[in-house]
Amino acid sequence: VEVFPGVEGLVHISQIAHKHINTPHEALKEGTTWLYFMNKDDENIVALKNRMTALGIKIIEVLEADKFVQYTSEQYGIDINSEKDMYKLFENIGLEELRNLKGIIHSYTFKHLDETMESIENMEKSQEEGIFSLFNITKMLLEFEVTHPIQLNVISSLTEQVKNNEKIIPARVTTFGLAKVISQEQPTISSYSIDHDLDGSSQDIASQLLRELQQDKDHRPELVAFRQSKRYTKVIERQSDDFNGNEIIVRENGNYVIAGGTGYLGVQLG
């Protein structure tokens, strides 16, 4: 390993498990803890949970409830909008368990098409399930000083426009945006987003999700989507010089709002 710039050395791990293991990577998976912020009776996430527990991983479920309640040491209920409830959740989990935390699954918006876009009240509820609950989770990670590397996986459904004319719920995409910002501002948190159309059996969907979670973080895309069991990744390519799309006309003395205006592109345009 590189100890500091220009100086390299060998590291000997004297003990990382109480039994013989083939590789250090094996022990770092078995015996770790994951937090599942999930909907009650979600067959797809339950199937994923069963596969991960079979690998020796401890899963703590966090369900939506009217107020904080501890059902068991591995299942809680919280008001997902209550920062107080979120604090009590992390407090009850305890610092020792949090030090063993390997990853988080956030899947409150992992469900079929609904009436989210039909009213302002429904859209506000979607934001509470998505971006606001994720924001509170991140605040607690910082509050309880969870500073070791962890995975943050946001799993949603029909969030991005992948195919022409498919019905989606755009209100859910804000959670993907926050996940990306979290990983940029907190280097120890690796954030990933999965958009699934819920096509297939719960076992098939669980297999697809698990394969994503098991990917090497350095080669794993920030966002993947599944449509009819086919996997898509977002690719940004430079258009060729003979591109025949509509020309973007910038009107002189016009007024424009640049979202994310403090980024490199926004500054250059401004």
Side-chain angles (χ1 to χ4, degrees):
V1 298
E2 186 177 44
V3 181
F4 52 84
V7 178
E8 296 182 343
L10 296 176
V11 174
H12 171 68
I13 302 174
S14 59
Q15 181 180 12
I16 59 174
H18 297 291
K19 62 179 182 178
H20 174 73
I21 59 172
N22 294 321
T23 65
H25 184 67
E26 178 184 331
L28 295 175
K29 282 189 174 181
E30 185 177 358
T32 57
T33 300
W34 280 62
L35 285 177
Y36 272 42
F37 293 85
M38 57 181 286
N39 297 310
K40 185 178 180 181
D41 301 324
D42 186 331
E43 295 181 352
N44 303 302
I45 298 299
V46 169
L48 175 62
K49 171 193 170 183
N50 292 338
R51 288 170 183 258
M52 292 183 70
T53 54
L55 296 174
I57 298 170
K58 180 178 180 179
I59 305 297
I60 298 177
E61 296 182 8
V62 185
L63 309 176
E64 187 174 359
D66 294 331
K67 61 181 180 179
F68 176 84
V69 56
Q70 180 175 353
Y71 302 111
T72 69
S73 62
E74 298 181 6
Q75 188 181 69
Y76 295 82
I78 63 169
D79 176 353
I80 61 176
N81 289 309
S82 170
E83 186 175 332
K84 181 180 178 180
D85 277 12
M86 195 70 75
Y87 186 93
K88 289 181 67 175
L89 168 68
F90 276 71
E91 188 176 46
N92 277 263
I93 291 173
L95 294 177
E96 183 176 352
E97 196 76 80
L98 289 172
R99 281 194 292 266
N100 203 36
L101 184 65
K102 173 75 172 181
I104 293 173
I105 298 287
H106 181 286
S107 62
Y108 288 140
T109 59
F110 188 47
K111 47 191 175 181
H112 291 280
L113 282 171
D114 54 24
E115 297 178 349
T116 294
M117 304 304 297
E118 300 300 318
S119 69
I120 293 177
E121 290 78 12
N122 290 344
M123 284 190 283
E124 289 177 346
K125 173 63 176 176
S126 178
Q127 300 310 298
E128 293 170 359
E129 293 173 336
I131 189 172
F132 294 143
S133 65
L134 182 59
F135 180 73
N136 283 333
I137 293 168
T138 308
K139 286 183 67 175
M140 291 305 106
L141 290 174
L142 300 177
E143 179 80 18
F144 284 82
E145 298 183 349
V146 181
T147 57
H148 60 274
I150 64 170
Q151 272 193 41
L152 172 60
N153 298 275
V154 176
I155 306 177
S156 189
S157 181
L158 297 169
T159 304
E160 295 269 352
Q161 187 83 51
V162 178
K163 293 189 172 183
N164 292 332
N165 302 318
E166 71 173 345
K167 293 183 179 180
I168 62 170
I169 302 181
R172 295 175 178 174
V173 80
T174 54
T175 315
F176 286 177
L178 178 59
K180 185 173 183 178
V181 171
I182 290 170
S183 62
Q184 292 174 339
E185 296 191 355
Q186 303 298 325
T188 59
I189 302 177
S190 301
S191 299
Y192 306 97
S193 299
I194 303 174
D195 180 9
H196 204 292
D197 63 357
L198 297 170
D199 181 67
S201 69
S202 59
Q203 295 301 323
D204 289 340
I205 293 173
S207 295
Q208 293 164 352
L209 297 178
L210 184 59
R211 281 195 294 270
E212 295 301 321
L213 301 185
Q214 290 176 324
Q215 284 196 48
D216 185 284
K217 70 181 186 67
D218 294 328
H219 300 97
R220 184 177 171 188
E222 292 180 347
L223 171 65
V224 299
F226 288 89
R227 295 293 185 268
Q228 297 179 318
S229 298
K230 186 175 181 180
R231 182 178 184 269
Y232 294 85
T233 59
K234 181 176 286 188
V235 178
I236 300 176
E237 297 179 337
R238 181 183 296 276
Q239 292 288 354
S240 61
D241 294 336
D242 57 353
F243 177 64
N244 295 320
N246 295 329
E247 182 182 0
I248 299 176
I249 300 175
V250 178
R251 181 166 54 87
E252 187 175 355
N253 296 321
N255 296 320
Y256 297 90
V257 175
I258 302 176
T262 58
Y264 175 79
L265 184 59
V267 171
Q268 299 305 310
L269 288 175

